[in-house]
Amino acid sequence: MTNAVGPRAVFGVIVPSTNTVVEHDYWRAGLSGIAYRAGSMYIPNPVMGNDEDFQALLGQIRASIDTAVRDVLTAEPDRMVMGMSAETFWGGIAGNAAFEQRLRDRTGLPVTTGASSCRAALHALGCHRIAVFSPYQPIADIEVGRFFTEAGFDVAAITGLRCPTAPDIARVGADRIRETVASIDGPDVEAIVQVGTNLSFVAQAEQLEYELGKPVIAINAATLWHALREHGFDDRVEGAGQLLREH
């Protein structure tokens, strides 16, 4: 249901309570007539310094997502957007499809997830061989790589920043990200893909596209693009990469 600040659409956005980046990136796009209502998944223990910690963090997300969705639904949104990514990649193609179906069944709304958005973005950009980076631990990078491989992409490299806590993801600086991209890029890589929605990367991705001469996909740009296009909106956004600017 639209409203005075969202006469075109209201997107419900589900984020971890530790996330400070997703809403900033969406509002930064400056889309006229689109509003966002965020719901937080409570993360009481945000430690993710090893594989076991990361699995425990996912457990906290799974325990709190229904409450976050419940809260967002009271604003009567038109679409649900998952402003978190790891869970949407878990279990590969089948895991993502099952996650989306559960959310559609729970809400009765169309759904945008990070995994499906990145897949659709790569198809729109015509890219097959990719390199991926995340803020995650190896256990999560395996799942991310599995999804892209099952989706038919050639994953040339994948690496995680191994952030010790969820809030630390938002503290990663541009220099470290640049070094990471350089470490996974190569002449045979057609696109760089970033996952992990609390990593601030949209503006830097735009800059790196010009420098590298290839698509650089920030997941927050991809989910916003997917939500817009699937909802029938053709808005073009400057400063957030070629995906939102040209496709």
Side-chain angles (χ1 to χ4, degrees), residues 114-175:
S116 290
S117 296
C118 288
R119 176 176 56 191
L122 288 165
H123 285 311
L125 293 162
C127 298
H128 174 69
R129 186 164 172 80
I130 64 174
V132 187
F133 75 99
S134 79
Y136 303 148
Q137 296 295 331
I139 191 171
D141 288 337
I142 289 170
E143 295 295 327
V144 173
R146 174 185 174 185
F147 174 86
F148 283 120
T149 299
E150 290 181 359
F153 300 103
D154 184 3
V155 182
I158 184 167
T159 191
L161 299 172
R162 314 292 185 259
C163 292
T165 74
D168 284 330
I169 298 172
R171 300 182 179 116
V172 176
D175 289 344

Side-chain angles (χ1 to χ4, degrees), residues 159-199:
T159 191
L161 299 172
R162 314 292 185 259
C163 292
T165 74
D168 284 330
I169 298 172
R171 300 182 179 116
V172 176
D175 289 344
R176 186 179 179 196
I177 292 175
R178 179 179 291 275
E179 292 170 0
T180 301
V181 170
S183 73
I184 61 175
D185 190 23
D188 60 334
V189 171
E190 297 172 348
I192 304 292
V193 182
Q194 170 260 328
V195 303
T197 62
N198 204 26
L199 195 65

Side-chain angles (χ1 to χ4, degrees), residues 42-236:
Y42 178 50
I43 310 294
N45 180 18
V47 174
M48 47 177 271
N50 55 45
D51 284 348
E52 292 74 21
D53 288 342
F54 198 93
Q55 285 184 298
L57 186 76
L58 276 184
Q60 295 175 72
I61 287 172
R62 290 163 182 164
S64 59
I65 188 170
D66 283 345
T67 300
V69 169
R70 178 204 67 188
D71 294 349
V72 166
L73 286 175
T74 64
E76 300 183 348
D78 303 289
R79 169 176 290 271
M80 296 299 294
V81 181
M82 298 310 299
M84 44 79 75
S85 58
E87 179 74 336
T88 74
F89 287 97
W90 221 264
I93 294 294
N96 176 63
F99 178 86
E100 290 184 348
Q101 189 59 53
R102 288 195 301 272
L103 198 57
R104 283 192 293 267
D105 291 344
R106 172 71 177 82
T107 65
L109 296 173
V111 173
T112 285
T113 65
S116 290
S117 296
C118 288
R119 176 176 56 191
L122 288 165
H123 285 311
L125 293 162
C127 298
H128 174 69
R129 186 164 172 80
I130 64 174
V132 187
F133 75 99
S134 79
Y136 303 148
Q137 296 295 331
I139 191 171
D141 288 337
I142 289 170
E143 295 295 327
V144 173
R146 174 185 174 185
F147 174 86
F148 283 120
T149 299
E150 290 181 359
F153 300 103
D154 184 3
V155 182
I158 184 167
T159 191
L161 299 172
R162 314 292 185 259
C163 292
T165 74
D168 284 330
I169 298 172
R171 300 182 179 116
V172 176
D175 289 344
R176 186 179 179 196
I177 292 175
R178 179 179 291 275
E179 292 170 0
T180 301
V181 170
S183 73
I184 61 175
D185 190 23
D188 60 334
V189 171
E190 297 172 348
I192 304 292
V193 182
Q194 170 260 328
V195 303
T197 62
N198 204 26
L199 195 65
S200 182
F201 186 59
V202 171
Q204 189 175 12
E206 163 97 352
Q207 179 182 359
L208 287 170
E209 281 190 332
Y210 285 112
E211 295 178 11
L212 301 177
K214 66 184 65 176
V216 180
I217 300 172
I219 195 164
N220 290 345
T223 54
L224 183 59
W225 169 83
H226 183 275
L228 290 169
R229 301 299 179 260
E230 288 292 301
H231 221 71
F233 299 140
D234 195 33
D235 303 59
R236 297 300 194 259

